[in-house]
Amino acid sequence: MEIWELGAKNIREQVLRKEISAQEVLDSFLARTAEVEPKIHAYIELIEPQARLDAARVDALIMRGEDPGPLAGLPVALKDNLNLKGVQCTCASRILEGYISPYDATAVKKLRKAGAVFTGKTNCDEFAMGSSTENSAFGVTRNPWDLQRVPGGSSGGSAAAVAAGMAPLSLGSDTGGSIRQPASFTGVCGLKPTYGRVSRYGLVAFGSSLDQIGPFGNSVWDCALALEAIAGEDPRDGTTSKRPVPRYTEGLKRPVKGLVAGVPREMMELVTDPGVRREFERALKIISDLGVTVVETSLPTTEYCLDVYYIIAPSEASSNLARFDGVRYGRRAKARDLDEMYYETRGQGFGIEVQRRIMLGTFALSAGYYDAYYLRAARIRTLVRRDFDKAFAAHDVLLSPTAPMVAFKIGERVDDPLAMYAADVLTVPVNLAGIPALSVPCGFSRPDESGPELPCGLQIMGKPYDEETVLALGYAFEEACSDWFVPKTAAMRKSLSSQEECEVVVRDTI
Amino acid sequence: MSETQYELNVGLEVHVELATASKMFCRCKTKFGDPPNTNVCPVCMGLPGALPVANEEAVRLGVMAALALNCRVNLSSRFDRKNYFYPDLPKAYQISQFEEPLAVSGYVELASGKRIRIRRLHLEEDAGKSMHAGDDITTASYSLLDYNRSGVPLAEIVSEPDISSPEEAREYLEKMQRTLRFAGVSDVKMEEGSMRVDCNVSVRRKGEAQMGVPVELKNLSSFRAVTRALAYEYDRQSRLIEQGKRIARETRHWDEDKGVTVSLRAKESSQDYRYFPDPDLPRLELDEAFIESVQRAMPRLPNQVVDFYVNVLGLPKYDAEVLTVDPNLVKFFDRCVELGGEPKPVSNWLMGDIMAYMNAKGLSYDTIPVTPENLVAMLGLIKDGVISGKIAKDVLIKMFETGKAPGDIVKEEGLEQVSDDASLSVIVDSVIAANPEVVAQFKAGKDKVLGFLVGQVMKASKGRANPAKVNIMLREKILS
Amino acid sequence: MKIDVKHVADLARLKLSEDEMRRLEKDLESILLRMERLKALDVEGVEPTFGAGDVQRLVLDQDRPAPGLPREEVLKLAPSSEGPYVSVPREGTPGDAPQGSE
Ligand SMILES: [Mg+2]
Ligand SMILES: [Zn+2]
């Protein structure tokens, strides 16, 4: 078995036992990347020289007998909307092409301190706006399970990198499902922590009241390890919680027997793919067998969540993205005067989906419409939160499929915003409520008779700051499925090696 | 057009920079005059991913300002985003308090007893500074940006349109400036931009119920500019009304050199700032205990000081008003009194020679060129007859220049009054000998001429003779 | 739902072609049409939620200055600079030589 095929847990243990060096670990992942990246295009930029320095530093610490940190030598890929000092941070947008960040995001700083080795910046939808990673100025990322399909989005590059074995861990950001939905589409684990659990400092803001950074991993354990490293209060982000950070990896084996899980009926009504529904129901059976009481429950506002989300997130985004004006950094269009500079820089620099959301949000905040749109949405958000509070009064966790469908074909939805937005319908309620949720692979569906099987995800939603219960149930579930899921992933990765390289598709609407 | 037919209504928006060491939402320095773009960071440059963290001291100073201006402090307030594009505004939004300001309902009381009501006081961040390369705003081909000021904390103080003359506007601003300076919340210097004033001016016929169309005035860089611009606008607008013309709702720019206001932009297409609560900043929650602690820490405000000077120290009202022009002056005066200086002489010297010297040198009151100890010592020398009041003026100049104690100066320069009988006697004798006619007149009963002889003795002694003693000695020597 | 796309694009400082304008108009109108459903909900007296965290009070930091970014780094990021300043084309009348990095 190659090093890259081992999970984060095994790699870390072997590094700490000095059986392998951080540099050998990196070599293995870089070799794997060289092999499959031309087919996947998960990265916007690989940063091999810096990564080698990071790995050497970890090895030096181990040699000296110093503590290299809990992520000792683990390669981590970063979504390109996270600031890593000295490295380009483009958010997959032309407007930031060539922008070299002068500072580290708090999550990045914490990972480095924990001994992580950064491999590069991964592709995503421009400014994290999208559900397929097709809205990137730097080409489309492909789904390792079927190269004709999207990896989901917006953190599609981070998801695909882990799924294809290019990195054992990666970070993404989740504003309306951007970690969980691509995790579901690519058959990996992805966690959106509670709002306020992980500092947003250094994450390029999209919807500030919704954004959270979270990890992707091959297993729940890997996600728990990464969360442990990045969570906690940050004096630079006044919305982070003071609560102490539990040892998530140690809580994984907590008994799940006796937990009560609710399945919101309104969410189930939104599941369009019969295969997804079938696999979810099978997952419920497995969970019942673990001793969890599974009952139907209700979140009456579910049907409004997508609309509320598509008012609040674009409103905040319209303000957050106003700073990309070509004055202090990023690209500036040629212009004769100030106004022309603004219009041309922003007209040329942003892709169509980003412009669409800026327009939507600008409208929702504008004079005469604020009350009817933004304020009304903010009030309904309160109702959504109340629904969740009520549901959590009677249930320890809530369960649903992560996405109502499996990965769709590249180009299939990209020109129909409402069809694209529908991919988030089961994930946005979680962001509106600010609660934690994990997507863990739960089965396969074959939408095309002739095509390959595609993974689908189980979404486990928890009470605010109760990542421990979410992770514990995810861990128990994963254990129960590992004998059939793990071999399928291995087979996918193997077949990936034999596939043809794929050309980079850059969509012309960007 | 009859002057009295029209009524002026002015509301002022005053921005003052709060005297913190670091900025409102980041910890960059706020120091005025540092080299361009040296006090900046990801937050105040609006770099992608940076987040604001509020400054505790800015909140405390904001509350202090609010209390000093008789405002009611809201226990719960909120920061909003004011969205607009301008190169000096790094995030393309200003964090400000719109819906729920820090404080409301205050006032400034004028000498007439009239109260100018303050509608609200809120906290916000300053923008950077743009300069126009080339000749001026109309011919420059590009602008230069310095972000040192970006994010400096401001209190914006908005009055009701209660001001009805340029003089009232000036008095309101001066009172506010003094008050805020005494409260220690700001330097409040218009010339350094730590106090900035915008006016909303309207004119209507007397007796009309409806307010006139408000016109906004910008670029008022001194109190004088404010009064001149208001006087100009009053004339302009009342003339337009007289002619039956419509007053445009617009923003006008005060041209200091030409002494006129010129239209900058129409307000009809008024900016849509798309205010909304800043999701990065939870509500600002204060408690009564905090506000009480700020109130307790409040330094004495100018009107309290004036009361004390007049009623307790017995100073004339005029002196009290002059001394309370600046807290440093008050501190200096108080210290002098504490050291045993008599209030009125101390006041006289401060308002006279000291202020004259400082004005000539362009000094501000935080650098008074003598110490209270030395001034009081000098007054003691006068009182004890060691030096005359006239000599004291020269000693004071030496004190300014050398920083030495007056006693030392007097000794080194030999400026003590000549009081010993032997030395005086020699001079008096020579004066008597040199002026036989005058002496004869005096002997003949013409008492008034003694003054001339005293003057001659003083002159001969280079001012050092003790005049009282000279007087007695002359009488004795001539009449005996 | 009619929406003045030109006005909104002006507020957002976006230069859009006629085609893009038409397309966005159509997209926004269909999105807003869907959102009409929200009007059916009674939100009378419901407090709005503007943030999702458990931090309910503004966190206040001590007023202690800390170093920021070196000026060279700040100026290096800027598309154009002059001396110690960031520079931008001025406001005003078109017709001058184009400014900018492209
Ligand atoms: Mg203001
Ligand atoms: Zn700063």
Side-chain angles (χ1 to χ4, degrees), chain C:
Chain C
M1 182 74 229
K2 260 287 163 213
I3 159 167
D4 184 351
V5 183
K6 173 81 178 64
H7 172 67
V8 178
D10 280 338
L11 285 176
R13 300 290 191 278
L14 291 173
K15 166 92 176 273
L16 300 172
S17 68
E18 289 297 319
D19 267 5
E20 288 168 322
M21 208 74 101
R22 262 193 302 277
R23 180 176 167 187
L24 281 173
E25 182 168 16
K26 189 180 123 273
D27 288 349
L28 295 191
E29 279 173 10
S30 64
I31 294 166
L32 292 172
L33 184 70
R34 202 200 121 114
M35 289 173 177
E36 288 294 301
R37 307 175 326 124
L38 294 182
K39 298 196 172 140
L41 276 177
D42 181 16
V43 290
E44 189 68 31
V46 178
E47 278 294 309
T49 294
F50 294 124
D54 67 344
V55 184
Q56 296 299 313
R57 290 172 77 114
L58 185 69
V59 176
L60 298 173
D61 192 12
Q62 285 192 314
D63 183 31
R64 265 198 300 246
L69 293 170
R71 180 162 72 194
E72 317 83 74
E73 269 189 57
V74 171
L75 296 178
K76 211 165 63 196
L77 294 177
S80 85
S81 63
E82 163 139 351
Y85 301 99
V86 172
S87 71
V88 285
R90 61 148 187 188
E91 284 176 274
T93 47
D96 311 291
Q99 296 265 322
S101 54
E102 278 189 349

Side-chain angles (χ1 to χ4, degrees), chain A residues 83-304:
Chain A
N83 279 274
L84 172 61
K85 189 175 175 172
V87 175
Q88 205 183 191
C89 183
T90 69
C91 300
S93 179
R94 273 199 207 300
I95 211 162
L96 280 178
E97 193 172 3
Y99 170 73
I100 308 290
S101 172
Y103 75 104
D104 279 334
T106 297
V108 167
K109 215 179 247 176
K110 288 189 169 205
L111 281 181
R112 180 179 286 121
K113 213 177 142 220
V117 172
F118 300 116
T119 56
K121 306 297 286 290
T122 59
N123 200 13
C124 54
D125 287 294
E126 187 181 8
F127 287 106
M129 296 180 186
S131 310
S132 66
T133 315
E134 290 167 286
N135 301 326
S136 165
F138 308 115
V140 175
T141 296
R142 295 168 186 272
N143 190 319
W145 296 84
D146 177 353
L147 299 180
Q148 301 315 309
R149 289 178 187 264
V150 301
S154 63
S155 314
S158 285
V162 171
M166 290 190 267
L169 283 172
S170 64
L171 290 190
S173 67
D174 190 316
T175 306
S178 284
I179 291 173
R180 292 157 288 154
Q181 185 256 24
S184 168
F185 279 19
T186 59
V188 298
C189 293
L191 174 70
K192 183 209 97 81
T194 310
Y195 185 88
R197 183 73 289 188
V198 178
S199 168
R200 294 177 295 117
Y201 188 76
L203 165 66
V204 180
F206 161 17
S208 310
S209 74
L210 303 155
D211 297 340
Q212 267 296 286
I213 296 171
F216 290 94
N218 289 303
S219 68
V220 174
W221 196 94
D222 292 2
C223 286
L225 176 71
L227 178 63
E228 216 166 281
I230 62 175
E233 189 189 5
D234 180 11
R236 290 187 182 276
D237 175 359
T239 61
T240 49
S241 178
K242 287 190 195 318
R243 291 164 196 254
V245 178
R247 298 293 296 271
Y248 294 112
T249 46
E250 286 169 16
L252 290 175
K253 293 202 172 125
R254 298 208 305 197
V256 297
K257 197 171 173 194
L259 289 179
V260 181
V263 179
R265 103 176 48 92
E266 295 82 0
M267 284 188 162
M268 292 313 294
E269 285 162 10
L270 297 168
V271 179
T272 45
D273 182 326
V276 169
R277 180 180 283 271
R278 182 196 64 230
E279 294 302 290
F280 176 70
E281 275 159 7
R282 198 164 60 137
L284 292 184
K285 177 78 180 40
I286 295 169
I287 289 171
S288 309
D289 291 346
L290 292 170
V292 175
T293 309
V294 179
V295 294
E296 193 183 77
T297 185
S298 173
L299 290 171
T301 50
T302 301
E303 63 164 315
Y304 301 106

Side-chain angles (χ1 to χ4, degrees), chain B residues 98-349:
Chain B
F98 179 62
E99 280 281 334
E100 301 179 49
L102 179 68
V104 294
S105 308
Y107 63 86
V108 167
E109 193 168 302
L110 306 183
S112 63
K114 176 176 174 179
R115 283 181 178 183
I116 308 299
R117 291 170 299 158
I118 290 169
R119 184 184 302 161
R120 52 184 282 149
L121 180 152
H122 68 255
L123 296 173
E124 59 185 30
E125 53 177 348
D126 209 343
K129 238 169 137 172
S130 43
M131 282 142 287
H132 303 284
D135 298 327
D136 59 56
I137 190 163
T138 51
T139 61
S141 63
Y142 51 93
S143 306
L144 301 177
L145 297 151
D146 171 10
Y147 293 99
N148 279 353
R149 209 181 64 185
S150 161
V152 167
L154 296 175
E156 179 176 334
I157 304 154
V158 183
S159 85
E160 298 289 348
D162 289 349
I163 295 165
S164 49
S165 72
E167 294 71 34
E168 277 187 5
R170 187 190 188 104
E171 192 187 344
Y172 169 80
L173 290 171
E174 278 174 354
K175 282 251 150 77
M176 177 179 292
Q177 188 181 44
R178 271 187 205 201
T179 303
L180 296 179
R181 210 169 259 164
F182 272 70
V185 302
S186 171
D187 292 342
V188 234
K189 289 181 180 160
M190 281 194 89
E191 58 286 11
E192 287 184 6
S194 58
M195 179 187 205
R196 299 195 286 276
V197 181
D198 296 330
C199 301
N200 286 301
V201 197
S202 67
V203 174
R204 61 177 163 185
R205 275 182 209 279
K206 276 211 172 133
E208 205 134 306
Q210 189 79 30
M211 278 282 181
V213 178
V215 170
E216 194 184 1
L217 299 185
K218 296 243 178 218
N219 192 42
L220 303 163
S221 53
S222 64
F223 290 170
R224 201 171 106 85
V226 172
T227 50
R228 286 177 71 205
L230 287 177
Y232 178 88
E233 271 304 298
Y234 176 70
D235 283 351
R236 189 184 72 86
Q237 293 186 30
S238 39
R239 193 164 306 131
L240 284 173
I241 299 172
E242 185 76 15
Q243 292 164 357
K245 287 183 184 154
R246 205 178 63 92
I247 290 167
R249 192 189 197 89
E250 61 184 353
T251 300
R252 297 180 71 86
H253 182 90
W254 169 246
D255 185 327
E256 179 77 30
D257 295 333
K258 300 198 179 97
V260 297
T261 64
V262 285
S263 182
L264 206 58
R265 60 174 170 268
K267 261 233 151 147
E268 255 87 15
S269 61
S270 118
Q271 298 224 46
D272 182 351
Y273 290 121
R274 286 158 287 132
Y275 284 101
F276 75 107
D278 191 329
D280 293 326
L281 297 163
R283 299 185 68 88
L284 172 56
E285 305 282 354
L286 304 173
D287 48 38
E288 295 283 4
F290 171 78
I291 292 169
E292 277 163 28
S293 76
V294 176
Q295 181 75 68
R296 267 197 306 277
M298 177 81 68
R300 279 187 314 165
L301 297 178
N303 51 349
Q304 296 169 290
V305 177
V306 168
D307 279 355
F308 178 78
Y309 286 178
V310 172
N311 299 326
V312 180
L313 300 185
L315 281 187
K317 177 106 191 223
Y318 174 81
D319 290 41
E321 291 284 352
V322 173
L323 291 175
T324 50
V325 72
D326 187 279
N328 288 308
L329 197 53
V330 165
K331 209 188 281 169
F332 186 95
F333 176 83
D334 287 351
R335 179 74 185 136
C336 290
V337 172
E338 212 176 279
L339 291 165
E342 281 178 48
K344 183 59 184 160
V346 171
S347 164
N348 287 346
W349 281 94

Side-chain angles (χ1 to χ4, degrees), chain A residues 142-462:
Chain A
R142 295 168 186 272
N143 190 319
W145 296 84
D146 177 353
L147 299 180
Q148 301 315 309
R149 289 178 187 264
V150 301
S154 63
S155 314
S158 285
V162 171
M166 290 190 267
L169 283 172
S170 64
L171 290 190
S173 67
D174 190 316
T175 306
S178 284
I179 291 173
R180 292 157 288 154
Q181 185 256 24
S184 168
F185 279 19
T186 59
V188 298
C189 293
L191 174 70
K192 183 209 97 81
T194 310
Y195 185 88
R197 183 73 289 188
V198 178
S199 168
R200 294 177 295 117
Y201 188 76
L203 165 66
V204 180
F206 161 17
S208 310
S209 74
L210 303 155
D211 297 340
Q212 267 296 286
I213 296 171
F216 290 94
N218 289 303
S219 68
V220 174
W221 196 94
D222 292 2
C223 286
L225 176 71
L227 178 63
E228 216 166 281
I230 62 175
E233 189 189 5
D234 180 11
R236 290 187 182 276
D237 175 359
T239 61
T240 49
S241 178
K242 287 190 195 318
R243 291 164 196 254
V245 178
R247 298 293 296 271
Y248 294 112
T249 46
E250 286 169 16
L252 290 175
K253 293 202 172 125
R254 298 208 305 197
V256 297
K257 197 171 173 194
L259 289 179
V260 181
V263 179
R265 103 176 48 92
E266 295 82 0
M267 284 188 162
M268 292 313 294
E269 285 162 10
L270 297 168
V271 179
T272 45
D273 182 326
V276 169
R277 180 180 283 271
R278 182 196 64 230
E279 294 302 290
F280 176 70
E281 275 159 7
R282 198 164 60 137
L284 292 184
K285 177 78 180 40
I286 295 169
I287 289 171
S288 309
D289 291 346
L290 292 170
V292 175
T293 309
V294 179
V295 294
E296 193 183 77
T297 185
S298 173
L299 290 171
T301 50
T302 301
E303 63 164 315
Y304 301 106
C305 286
L306 202 60
D307 303 292
V308 168
Y309 174 82
Y310 276 96
I311 292 171
I312 291 174
S315 294
E316 293 179 359
S318 72
S319 174
N320 285 328
L321 270 62
R323 67 184 63 193
F324 302 104
D325 56 8
V327 176
R328 298 159 314 284
Y329 49 80
R331 297 220 321 187
R332 179 189 297 177
K334 208 180 264 181
R336 281 176 297 265
D337 65 23
L338 188 63
D339 255 351
E340 192 178 308
M341 183 198 74
Y342 281 130
Y343 278 85
E344 293 290 342
T345 297
R346 294 168 58 78
Q348 296 167 20
F350 292 135
I352 187 75
E353 179 60 24
V354 171
Q355 291 183 339
R356 189 183 284 130
R357 296 203 198 181
I358 289 175
M359 292 284 287
L360 190 55
T362 303
F363 171 79
L365 291 175
S366 66
Y369 298 101
Y370 177 90
D371 287 2
Y373 288 93
Y374 182 76
L375 190 59
R376 172 169 285 265
R379 290 190 203 280
I380 299 172
R381 188 174 183 185
T382 304
L383 301 180
V384 172
R385 295 180 61 138
R386 283 185 196 159
D387 271 4
F388 274 99
D389 286 348
K390 217 165 122 193
F392 281 122
H395 310 90
D396 299 296
V397 291
L398 298 175
L399 305 174
S400 78
T402 304
M405 75 285 274
V406 289
F408 42 85
K409 288 203 166 115
I410 290 168
E412 192 180 302
R413 291 172 187 245
V414 79
D415 292 320
D416 182 352
L418 285 175
M420 186 66 88
Y421 297 171
D424 302 332
V425 71
L426 299 175
T427 45
V428 293
V430 164
N431 299 76
L432 292 174
I435 58 171
L438 173 73
S439 180
V440 55
C442 77
F444 291 90
S445 170
R446 196 192 297 272
D448 266 357
E449 287 298 330
S450 55
E453 279 191 318
L454 297 164
C456 36
L458 162 71
Q459 174 170 243
I460 306 173
M461 297 166 265

Side-chain angles (χ1 to χ4, degrees), chain B residues 81-93:
Chain B
R81 293 184 182 180
K82 178 182 184 180
N83 297 283
Y84 66 95
F85 289 91
Y86 203 71
D88 65 11
L89 190 69
K91 301 183 295 301
Y93 60 80

